[in-house]
Amino acid sequence: MEGKKVVVVGAGPVGSLAALYASSRGAVVEIYELRDDLRNADTTPLNFTKSINLALSKRGIDAIHSTGNTDLLDKILGRTIRMYGRMIHLRSSSGALLQQFQAYDVRGRFQRSVDRGELNKVLLDHLDSLPNVKFFFQHKMTGADFRKKKAWFEVMDKTSTTLSDRPQEIEVSFDFCIGADGAHSATRYHMMKFARMDYYQIYIDCLWCEFTMPPTKEGGYAMPPTYLHIWPAGSFMFIALPNLDNTFVCTLFGPVELFTKLENGTDAELISTFDKYFPGVTTFIPPADLVAQFKRNPHLPLISIKCSPHHFGDSVVIVGDAANAMVPFYGQGMNAGLESVRVLFSKLDQASNRAEALAKYSAERTEDTHVIADLALANYIEMRSSVTSPLYKLRKFIEERLDKYAPSLGWATQYSRVSFSNMRYSEVIRRSKSQKRILTTLLVAATGTGVLGTVAGVWLFWTRLRHQKMFGLPWPSR
Amino acid sequence: MEGKKVVVVGAGPVGSLAALYASSRGAVVEIYELRDDLRNADTTPLNFTKSINLALSKRGIDAIHSTGNTDLLDKILGRTIRMYGRMIHLRSSSGALLQQFQAYDVRGRFQRSVDRGELNKVLLDHLDSLPNVKFFFQHKMTGADFRKKKAWFEVMDKTSTTLSDRPQEIEVSFDFCIGADGAHSATRYHMMKFARMDYYQIYIDCLWCEFTMPPTKEGGYAMPPTYLHIWPAGSFMFIALPNLDNTFVCTLFGPVELFTKLENGTDAELISTFDKYFPGVTTFIPPADLVAQFKRNPHLPLISIKCSPHHFGDSVVIVGDAANAMVPFYGQGMNAGLESVRVLFSKLDQASNRAEALAKYSAERTEDTHVIADLALANYIEMRSSVTSPLYKLRKFIEERLDKYAPSLGWATQYSRVSFSNMRYSEVIRRSKSQKRILTTLLVAATGTGVLGTVAGVWLFWTRLRHQKMFGLPWPSR
């Protein structure tokens, strides 16, 4: 890649990391970004179609680590907050508030809450210091010829975004183009005119709205910041992730029907819905503020995208949301995107022929990203309801004991393999299926009564325990 | 729609018909087409990404008929050739050529072979005569705001199609926009920025290449023109449809692997492949010509598209390939597109509120077009291989007898309902499933031996018949 011109489309975390990888291989890197530089204080903060709090886990961290720049990684990790598990907020049958802690990992591994903008800024600042990287903000891709290796960009006017103004257009030649321009990727759109791409996008029946939970009067966190807080409510849920400034970024997820009802209802109905299903929230976000935020902040859809291939010839590849947008329920969207960059460059480094490397990358990565997109969809069900079911907890309990006490068996939960390992997503699923088969076989082989009796006993015991509220953990003091 | 501005994007058969429907309702119609007017003799004939021979059947005919213009319909039907069934070309185990006739319909109903360009010209000529219809050829849609009801088009230079030339751009306001701009629809692309559209496209593992079979030395058809000729070869096939000028338009369909092999092989290998699998073809297309055509004509992919919804608000709807491109194996692509126009305007005529009409149309039509897209995919298997299987013929035989001799039961084959009725595609499938259940139940209820013995006997008899070549029909003399 030495001396070659690499065009990266999109200056988000994934595009920025791709630029960093390309620059470290001696490429002349140009980054074209539709929006203004997010570090400009006078521009609107962040596009609201992207969640601004994210869970950074091993795959993302390893992808940053593989740049070899440990200072950069340290700077990023320094801006994260460790979350050791989920804190489930419930109301008991008697009306009392309950919190149940579910550790992410039986070995104590954790997720890291990070502000998307903060992470992005650290990467952009670092790229600014590199002599072979150049930014072109407010440049909108309007066309591309991936045979001739040319792309066209309109230089946007800061005050207008309509096409009728006919802003200036520039032609850019490149040797290699990396499209990291998000779910509505222009790179992908133009690539589809060259590659015979199978493409699938679906909007799930779920909208989301963001809220900010302010610090306490004393300036501290309203709740312990070492958890991802969840208020599961069956077909909808409310979650909260900690920010460095002692606030929480919260999100309401729910079916279109719920949003329509809340949008058309009174303020009192909104508040009473929160009090009924998300106990305690209005203690931390004052009701009037809650109503104002619900009305002010956009109510946005969730898209899931799969496509194949992710490349065309030796001239272009798409990564991140452009190639595989997923719903946010496994906390893997950005992690998968960053990992894609690592895998892409490892293929490019290994092969002498770029077209071959891209074909290999595409074959491997489409399989893996399709798997994680499906897992993310399935996790929506788990988060909003299953987390509270005794059966779910029993399965989690058995699997975690096997993980902890029989490591020589190579047993691990699917969650830990996704979040705390670099194992290919497709391999994670193969192992999970195989473990499930083994567990089932063991149960069947143990000829019924004995085992089943035990299981039934455990279940009954569990349910009773729950009724006795023995799972309502006291909040850790700060 | 009286006096309202309707913009139709795409001047193919479906777009032209939509313009006709809109104009007859008093709208001011503007048709924007990316390509030049196909009636201009100096332009390249027809875009080769569209098949130039099509089967026109009841749904298409009814949609034209519903304009109320019988002259126009007569003119179109006058340019069609009746095809009463499939003529299957085989080679017997002894090497002799066999032709087996399979009627499309037990009641004698037929398909009509029509040249896409001819059909299109008749429609365009008619539109030219209408005072409230205006054409804008070589106008490329570059943007659209379906909230503000504005679209932008670039006026293309005849000699250049690259974006870098920055041709003139015009802004067009409209009251209603109908996108009939094909599988790679720009209308759909821009609509996807407004509607939350679920979208699915897949390229099947099949390429196609067109051939022309010339008339005989005496100037007549090389084969009887009253059939759709098929050479099934398991995983690939060759077909021929008659043209008015005594030629046949033929198509080779096959997996990418076959095309790659033939592209990289010698001329002799190509010819011997044809002689082995498509017996008789090289008698009608001289081998040297066959080789030249295979090298000259493009080898093109096949795409299948499903999406939902097909509209946004009250401002835009997509029809035809733009909404539901399908593989060509049920001969329903254009018929479904034309029918969509009929259904669309019947909903618009019935409702006072256009947004409501479009929502109803979209709900009904997405269901139906998804069904026919699936049927078209399944028919590829039938055409290239099942048509020769004894079991397929037995099923066809029983179903056709029921259709013919028990009409009071409302029994009909799926093929006849798709091709010779206006029944909703989704209803066709429901009836087919129900018929299949009934047949299965009857067979099971007849407690085995008797019926099964009969079936086995029929099958054996059938197989023997086939060996005795009693199905090799003599060609009808002309």
Side-chain angles (χ1 to χ4, degrees), chain B residues 56 60-67 69-80 122:
Chain B
L56 180 65
I61 292 169
D62 280 9
I64 301 167
H65 185 250
S66 291
T67 60
N69 191 325
T70 48
D71 283 356
L72 179 72
L73 180 60
D74 288 346
K75 207 178 276 178
I76 288 169
L77 294 185
R79 309 203 63 70
T80 65
V122 175

Side-chain angles (χ1 to χ4, degrees), chain A residues 259-272:
Chain A
F259 271 80
T260 309
K261 210 179 124 214
L262 294 177
E263 286 159 6
N264 297 326
T266 63
D267 295 356
E269 279 163 359
L270 179 69
I271 295 162
S272 75

Side-chain angles (χ1 to χ4, degrees), chain A residues 28-45:
Chain A
V28 177
V29 182
E30 294 185 351
I31 308 179
Y32 292 83
E33 163 63 45
L34 173 67
R35 302 188 186 89
D36 199 359
D37 189 338
L38 64 89
R39 294 166 298 177
N40 286 353
D42 61 330
T43 55
T44 38

Side-chain angles (χ1 to χ4, degrees), chain A residues 367-381:
Chain A
E367 187 186 3
D368 288 330
T369 53
H370 292 189
V371 163
I372 188 64
D374 288 341
L375 287 179
L377 281 170
N379 226 36
Y380 181 38
I381 311 297

